[in-house]
């Protein structure tokens, strides 16, 4: 099925729920942030409201992981960490299995999501439209982090190089995904003079695992995906390594960013932050799943520094962070 790219981009940069301006966020510095937020310290993320009346302290915390693969797999994978989070915060914690990046952003913007891991491409939208305050990413034990965007095809597809995509089909995941849409769009245009609709047929699979399985099963001729997802799927025997062939590999990008919604009470935000950095991975369900992509710790980061390359990709694609 052919899709019109421009409306999809527009949809991806508009928050799905329109809320009024918060009483505390009056005339203040905010950069690209929605008018509900302030950024007095210039770190590009929403400040915690200064008035305690605008801060929240829910009895139950809702956690969601980016919907890159089957949510059921990740409810189990995160179970040990969420038990640790409950112990550290003294709160009940519920795993929320979101089905799309847009739904995840909407949930945080509307106050129904407190702690989350947003995928690489969704981070700027979550930061600017939903008040997301990311502070950590997963990394290997030696401190390496990130993933690469790969363009993959299947053996015998007739596609041996990026140039061979011309006149054929390429599967993206969703317009908010960095490796599933934003980065390949910028690279295909800038480095190969290839544009969707004009030079190839774009289709959208919804998620990285859908794209990878689609190529492995020859439903899609080629797809742009995150290789960290591919590695985990190979480790779980969902696909075999030789089911797909990589014809392009990008620079390394930051992976999923984890953080909290801006208006949680500061002391609760501190407890959640401490829970991430005090979690011991050895022998846990989290290690069992994410060691498949060579991840074994939470590494402290800042959105301002780590997401600079992603903001540049968005700028090259003409993406706006407008929220209404």
């Amino acid at each position: 099925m052919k899709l019109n790219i421009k409306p999809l981009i527009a949809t991806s940069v508009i928050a799905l729920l329109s809320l009024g301006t918060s009483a505390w966020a009056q005339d203040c510095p905010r950069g690209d942030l929605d008018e509900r937020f302030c950024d007095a310290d210039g770190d590009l993320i929403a400040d915690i409201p200064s008035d305690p009346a605008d801060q929240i302290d829910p009895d139950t915390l809702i956690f969601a992981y980016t919907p890159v693969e089957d949510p059921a797999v990740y409810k189990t994978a995160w179970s040990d960490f969420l038990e640790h989070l409950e112990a550290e915060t003294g709160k009940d914690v519920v795993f929320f299995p979101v089905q799309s990046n847009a739904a995840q952003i909407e949930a945080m913007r509307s106050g129904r999501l407190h702690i989350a891991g947003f995928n690489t491409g969704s981070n700027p939208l979550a930061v600017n439209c939903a008040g997301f305050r990311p502070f950590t990413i997963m990394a290997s034990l030696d401190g390496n982090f990130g993933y690469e965007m790969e363009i993959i095809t299947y053996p015998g597809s007739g596609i041996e190089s990026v140039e061979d995509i011309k006149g054929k089909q390429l599967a993206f995941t969703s317009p908010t995904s960095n490796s599933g849409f934003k980065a390949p769009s910028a690279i295909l245009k800038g480095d190969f003079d290839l544009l969707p609709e004009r030079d190839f047929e774009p289709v959208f699979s919804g998620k990285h695992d859908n794209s990878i399985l689609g190529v492995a099963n020859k439903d899609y001729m080629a797809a742009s995906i995150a290789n960290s997802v591919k590695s985990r799927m190979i480790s779980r025997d969902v696909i075999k390594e030789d089911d797909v062939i990589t014809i392009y590999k990008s620079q390394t990008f930051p992976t999923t960013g984890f953080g909290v919604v801006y208006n949680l009470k500061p002391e609760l935000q501190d407890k959640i932050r401490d829970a991430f950095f005090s979690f011991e991975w050895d022998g846990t369900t989290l290690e069992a799943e994410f060691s498949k992509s060579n991840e074994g710790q939470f590494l402290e980061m800042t959105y301002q520094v780590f997401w600079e390359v992603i903001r540049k990709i968005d700028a090259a694609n003409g993406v706006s962070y407008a929220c209404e």
Side-chain angles (χ1 to χ4, degrees):
M1 178 178 66
K2 291 188 178 181
L3 298 177
N4 191 324
I5 298 299
K6 291 183 179 179
L8 283 167
I9 294 175
T11 300
S12 75
V13 298
I14 296 175
L16 300 181
L17 185 69
S18 177
L19 297 178
T21 303
S22 174
W24 77 276
Q26 299 174 1
D27 187 16
C28 61
R30 59 175 56 90
D32 289 332
L33 297 177
D34 183 66
E35 63 180 9
R36 302 166 61 212
F37 313 124
C38 284
D39 180 22
D41 58 7
D43 62 359
L44 307 185
I45 62 175
D47 298 336
I48 301 172
S50 56
D51 187 345
D54 292 319
Q55 301 166 4
I56 62 172
D57 188 22
D59 293 331
T60 299
L61 296 172
I62 309 300
F63 172 90
Y65 179 60
T66 182
V68 293
E69 299 166 70
D70 182 2
V73 171
Y74 288 94
K75 183 176 182 179
T76 299
W78 283 97
S79 59
D80 286 349
F81 174 81
L82 296 188
E83 287 183 12
H84 173 72
L85 189 58
E86 287 183 332
E88 292 296 306
T89 61
K91 307 275 189 181
D92 292 332
V93 180
V94 173
F95 183 88
F96 176 39
V98 293
Q99 298 294 328
S100 72
N101 299 318
Q104 189 180 21
I105 293 170
E106 179 191 6
M108 180 164 282
R109 182 170 168 84
S110 65
R112 295 181 286 111
L113 178 60
H114 308 117
I115 311 165
F118 283 97
N119 73 0
T120 305
S122 292
N123 255 260
L125 290 167
V127 164
N128 288 286
C129 294
F132 180 51
R133 290 170 54 87
F135 57 79
T136 186
I137 62 175
M138 288 183 178
S140 63
L141 292 176
D142 59 7
N144 290 316
F145 64 89
Y147 70 96
E148 291 78 39
M149 181 276 291
E150 293 185 5
I151 297 177
I152 61 172
T153 187
Y154 56 83
S157 68
I159 299 175
E160 297 181 0
S161 67
V162 173
E163 290 84 355
D164 292 335
I165 292 172
K166 190 168 185 176
K168 299 182 178 68
Q169 179 197 72
L170 178 66
F172 296 117
T173 58
S174 71
T176 56
S177 173
N178 179 62
S179 56
F181 180 68
K182 295 179 180 182
S185 295
I187 290 166
L188 288 170
K189 178 181 178 181
D191 295 350
F192 300 96
D193 189 30
L194 290 174
L195 295 177
E197 302 292 358
R198 188 193 77 180
D199 299 308
F200 61 90
E201 177 193 1
V203 295
F204 282 80
S205 72
K207 295 188 290 186
H208 288 270
D209 55 333
N210 292 346
S211 288
I212 295 165
L213 277 172
V215 171
N217 292 327
K218 302 182 180 181
D219 295 323
Y220 301 133
M221 295 192 73
S224 62
I225 54 96
N227 60 5
S228 57
V229 179
K230 185 184 74 172
S231 295
R232 292 195 295 269
M233 292 177 70
I234 291 171
S235 295
R236 289 202 305 270
D237 294 323
V238 177
I239 66 167
K240 294 181 173 61
E241 191 167 4
D242 57 5
D243 285 341
V244 298
I245 298 170
T246 298
I247 59 171
Y248 182 89
K249 185 175 180 179
S250 74
Q251 70 184 88
T252 299
F253 299 119
T255 185
T256 300
F258 297 89
V260 297
V261 69
Y262 78 110
N263 59 344
L264 292 179
K265 285 190 173 295
E267 54 269 32
L268 179 55
Q269 293 197 33
D270 288 341
K271 288 179 180 179
I272 294 168
R273 184 187 183 95
D274 291 344
F276 274 89
F277 296 128
S278 65
F279 182 68
E280 296 181 359
W281 287 58
D282 287 352
T284 65
T285 54
L286 203 64
E287 182 194 42
E289 177 59 30
F290 287 94
S291 62
K292 296 169 185 174
S293 49
N294 195 33
E295 291 162 319
Q297 66 167 318
F298 288 109
L299 183 72
E300 187 171 6
M301 64 85 169
T302 66
Y303 170 76
Q304 187 171 22
V305 174
F306 280 55
W307 256 258
E308 182 180 12
V309 64
I310 306 304
R311 295 193 298 273
K312 287 181 178 178
I313 289 172
D314 283 349
N317 285 328
V319 171
S320 166
Y321 301 139
C323 305
E324 59 184 13

